[in-house]
Amino acid sequence: MSTHEARLADLREELKRQGLHGFVVPICDEHMSEYIGGYAQRLEWMTGFGGSAGTAVVLADRAAIFTDGRYTIQVRDQVDGRLYEYVGTAKQSVAEWLGQNAPEGARIGYDAWLHTRDWVEQASARLTRSGAELVAVTTNPIDAVWHDQPSRPVASMNPHPIEYAGRESAEKRADIARWLSEHGMDAAVITALDSVAWVFNVRGSDITHTPVTLSYAVIHRDGTADLYVAPEKVSDPLREHLGNQVALHDYDTFEAGLDGLAGKTVAVDPERAVAAIFSRLDSAGARIIARRDPSVLPRATKNATEISGQRAAQARDGAAVSQFLHWLSIAAPAGGETELSAAAKLLTFREATGLLVDTSFDTISGASSNGAICHYRVSEETNLPIVMDSLYLVDSGGQYLDGTTDITRTIAIGTPTAEMKRRFTQVLKGHIALATIRFPHGTTGGQLDVLARQYLWADGVDYAHGTGHGVGSFLSVHEGPQRIAAFGGQGEPLRPGMICSNEPGYYKDGEFGIRIENLVLVEELDLPGAEQPMLGFETLTFAPIDRNVIEVALLSAHERDWLDRYHTKVLEVVGPQLQGEALAWLQSACAPIG
């Protein structure tokens, strides 16, 4: 019996002990985080799936794992198809599958600290129609059988200096207090870890790649706040930083602390707060108003200090990536390099800056066929050599005190095929179309997404992920509410100060993958003769785009001009940070396309 087969058997025995006929296992923590701590990696422990989005359902006689289009290949590589049925979320939701497969009279368990209220209501309604029942568990059954489950992290919560934050925490809390007063509410419950970090100007290291601390907050209409964080994470400098308007409480007392909101009108974000919080507030007699976390939009629209910091971080990171690309141009053709060795080398260049706090996500180092796995995570088992006449895709980023970076480059090792060059050039054309678009206020990312896909669509091909996501300021590399995508968050207007990725791609299953990613800043434009205010994108990321994979004949004069101007800017920003052979290589890599 395999490890995951044994774990599945153990879980089913535990379900019997708890009087359940099934259980839902999401990738999530109590804060609805995208990236989660080791203690919360229940889905990976249970199934082997290492992606950042997915859910499993375990019944007595069958099980299924649900993923989106980004993980179609990865889930089949990591999860045993004899144990779990593969289900694409675009075709069937977890609730729909449960409604069709849960036996009549079944009690299907869920952990109310790991699901939103909306999900619980939808799943419950669907099961009720089938004569089954959704049941909140007191003890998560996976925790009961995961005997070596990691403990919650104990790293400290640290002040984030004003030289990086740009605004004092008291000022941010005053804005939220004013918002509460304007809407006739008494308090806002803040549950998202990056929101707590931003509001209080604090950072931590509880979550790999995301500098946050496990914590909750309640902000009141008088500007005072309650901050729930484990006592061992609190220091005297932190207390001094927070001031006497912030009351500190033990993280484990948060649920009980919600009872203090009895009779109050309370704002709770239905997208970011778990069902258990709504239930406790209901029981306490609070009047709940479902509103988006009031810090989300101001956090997404960066202030001048944050923008300046991002530019500095991107310039520093671009030099590290350019040094890596120079190294790769020599090491890859010489042979002996692998996905793991390349990722490790890239890390050394970032670490050499002396300012790297962490990577912003696990580096996607994909050679040949592994490059076709959108969110690939290299391991000893999957590690491929980087070979001649292939494509190598590397998607990586850094966390620095002054900014968060995210960049993807696809490099030809040896001679690319005609198909590789065509697809790469189509992706580049889409990238340029998005980078150069001008658009009026009120435009959403969903309206712009097609710009990046149009040249691929012309050949009847596409990519199964969004074109752009928001990026935090020394916070989460994936930040809302804005997205450039045809699905999920596409209705949020783009505003000056927002930072997004621009990352179209193409993936040929079993052969190669292509993605070109820069970060861009939404900025006001001064257009002579314009009859309304207009916006555009300032490109923030600077590292060469591989000219060896471009079919120059497919580029228009406008596109060639953009590429040459971009590479001129790369030389201007990155060149002064390099020297010797690396600088000579950069000058060649940034030569006019001709």
Side-chain angles (χ1 to χ4, degrees):
M1 182 181 290
S2 70
T3 298
H4 293 109
E5 191 174 2
R7 291 172 180 175
L8 191 57
D10 288 345
L11 176 60
R12 284 176 168 142
E13 285 300 314
E14 179 62 25
L15 294 180
K16 289 179 184 177
R17 284 192 287 272
Q18 294 194 24
L20 299 170
H21 304 93
F23 189 67
V24 182
V25 189
I27 298 176
C28 196
D29 64 7
E30 303 85 346
H31 303 270
M32 302 303 297
S33 308
E34 177 183 17
Y35 296 111
I36 57 179
Y39 78 97
Q41 291 282 3
R42 297 176 180 90
L43 185 67
E44 183 170 20
W45 180 84
M46 192 70 219
T47 68
F49 177 63
S52 63
T55 302
V57 176
V58 176
L59 302 178
D61 59 350
R62 64 187 305 183
I65 186 162
F66 299 77
T67 57
D68 62 32
R70 295 172 296 171
Y71 297 109
T72 301
I73 301 172
Q74 182 176 338
V75 71
R76 285 163 172 77
D77 287 342
Q78 295 179 333
V79 179
D80 190 340
R82 297 171 301 168
L83 303 178
Y84 295 89
E85 172 188 345
Y86 307 121
V87 183
T89 52
K91 295 182 178 178
Q92 190 174 38
S93 70
V94 172
E96 291 167 342
W97 190 92
L98 275 170
Q100 292 178 7
N101 294 285
E104 185 174 355
R107 300 176 77 247
I108 306 300
Y110 75 100
D111 188 334
W113 285 95
L114 302 178
H115 296 274
T116 65
R117 182 183 64 171
D118 288 349
W119 182 89
V120 171
E121 290 175 351
Q122 292 166 10
S124 182
R126 184 63 184 85
L127 279 168
T128 298
R129 292 200 302 271
S130 301
E133 180 185 8
L134 191 66
V135 180
V137 299
T138 303
T139 300
N140 190 304
I142 290 183
D143 296 352
V145 299
W146 188 358
H147 302 302
D148 58 349
Q149 184 177 18
S151 301
R152 287 203 311 247
V154 296
S156 61
M157 174 183 275
N158 304 310
H160 187 53
I162 191 67
E163 65 186 281
Y164 302 118
R167 295 182 67 207
E168 296 287 357
S169 171
E171 183 182 352
K172 296 175 183 179
R173 297 197 310 272
D175 286 346
I176 293 173
R178 192 175 306 112
W179 176 83
L180 289 168
S181 295
E182 290 171 353
H183 292 87
M185 295 182 284
D186 299 302
V189 177
I190 308 297
T191 61
L193 298 181
D194 50 357
S195 290
V196 176
W198 182 85
V199 169
F200 293 91
N201 286 348
V202 292
R203 298 294 190 269
S205 55
D206 282 354
I207 308 296
T208 304
H209 308 308
T210 308
V212 295
T213 298
L214 294 176
S215 50
Y216 296 99
V218 178
I219 300 175
H220 304 277
R221 68 187 297 170
D222 63 358
T224 63
D226 296 294
L227 180 60
Y228 294 82
V229 59
E232 62 268 22
K233 298 176 178 292
V234 178
S235 64
D236 288 338
L238 178 67
R239 290 188 181 91
E240 183 180 353
H241 166 77
L242 293 171
N244 60 14
Q245 295 296 296
V246 178
L248 286 163
H249 309 272
D250 191 325
Y251 179 84
D252 289 328
T253 68
F254 170 68
E255 185 176 15
L258 293 174
D259 294 344
L261 296 172
K264 305 285 189 181
T265 301
V266 183
V268 187
D269 190 329
E271 181 181 340
R272 294 169 178 84
V274 296
I277 293 173
F278 285 90
S279 296
R280 187 69 180 224
L281 288 169
D282 276 333
S283 299
R287 178 172 177 257
I288 301 173
I289 305 295
R291 289 289 180 89
R292 184 165 72 186
D293 173 344
S295 71
V296 166
L297 193 55
R299 171 161 52 85
T301 50
K302 308 297 184 282
N303 62 50
T305 299
E306 291 171 323
I307 292 171
S308 176
Q310 278 284 6
R311 290 193 179 111
Q314 302 295 337
R316 181 186 316 122
D317 197 71
V321 172
S322 296
Q323 289 174 294
F324 166 76
L325 294 175
H326 166 243
W327 168 84
L328 187 70
S329 72
I330 299 168
E337 300 300 333
T338 68
E339 295 170 338
L340 282 173
S341 69
K345 189 68 176 181
L346 176 54
L347 179 60
T348 66
F349 286 116
R350 284 197 167 101
E351 290 175 333
T353 66
L355 296 173
L356 183 72
V357 177
D358 193 359
T359 53
S360 55
F361 54 96
D362 287 323
T363 295
I364 299 171
S365 177
S368 304
S369 59
N370 282 344
I373 304 173
C374 299
H375 281 209
Y376 172 66
R377 188 168 71 182
V378 60
S379 66
E380 292 288 353
E381 293 73 29
T382 65
N383 187 29
L384 287 181
I386 298 175
V387 298
M388 293 299 291
D389 301 333
S390 69
L391 294 184
Y392 170 66
L393 185 154
V394 58
D395 185 349
S396 67
Q399 291 283 11
Y400 305 90
L401 288 173
D402 50 1
T404 299
T405 71
D406 185 1
I407 174 175
T408 308
R409 289 295 182 265
T410 305
I411 304 100
I413 310 300
T415 304
T417 67
E419 181 186 24
M420 291 172 179
K421 294 181 71 172
R422 181 175 181 82
R423 295 292 179 242
F424 184 94
T425 308
Q426 289 170 324
V427 170
L428 176 60
K429 288 167 71 72
H431 181 98
I432 295 170
L434 187 58
T436 57
I437 188 63
R438 298 169 175 180
F439 51 94
H441 282 261
T443 300
T444 68
Q447 291 174 277
L448 302 183
D449 181 76
V450 64
L451 293 170
R453 299 178 190 270
Q454 58 182 314
Y455 302 102
L456 292 165
W457 281 4
D459 273 5
V461 297
D462 201 357
Y463 50 95
H465 58 75
T467 302
H469 55 82
V471 177
S473 180
F474 188 44
L475 277 174
S476 176
V477 73
H478 293 158
E479 178 182 86
Q482 76 277 19
R483 288 192 70 200
I484 301 173
F487 45 85
Q490 69 272 28
E492 186 68 37
L494 297 173
R495 294 173 173 84
M498 286 181 168
I499 293 175
C500 299
S501 64
N502 173 1
E503 52 178 307
Y506 172 75
Y507 313 91
K508 187 167 186 178
D509 187 9
E511 296 194 29
F512 61 85
I514 295 166
R515 187 158 63 250
I516 303 170
E517 177 184 19
N518 288 339
L519 299 189
V520 296
L521 171 71
V522 182
E523 61 176 352
E524 297 271 8
L525 296 180
D526 182 15
L527 299 181
E531 297 181 354
Q532 59 181 317
M534 297 292 288
L535 301 174
F537 292 124
E538 173 194 339
T539 295
L540 298 174
T541 304
F542 295 104
I545 294 171
D546 191 355
R547 299 161 70 253
N548 297 318
V549 210
I550 299 174
E551 186 62 63
V552 178
L554 296 180
L555 295 180
S556 68
H558 159 74
E559 291 162 343
R560 292 195 299 273
D561 180 62
W562 180 91
L563 188 63
D564 286 345
R565 284 186 289 108
Y566 175 75
H567 278 146
T568 297
K569 186 70 173 180
V570 172
L571 278 174
E572 177 186 320
V573 171
V574 174
Q577 302 178 70
L578 305 187
Q579 55 187 351
E581 292 182 2
L583 177 58
W585 173 86
L586 182 71
Q587 291 168 337
S588 175
C590 293
I593 194 69

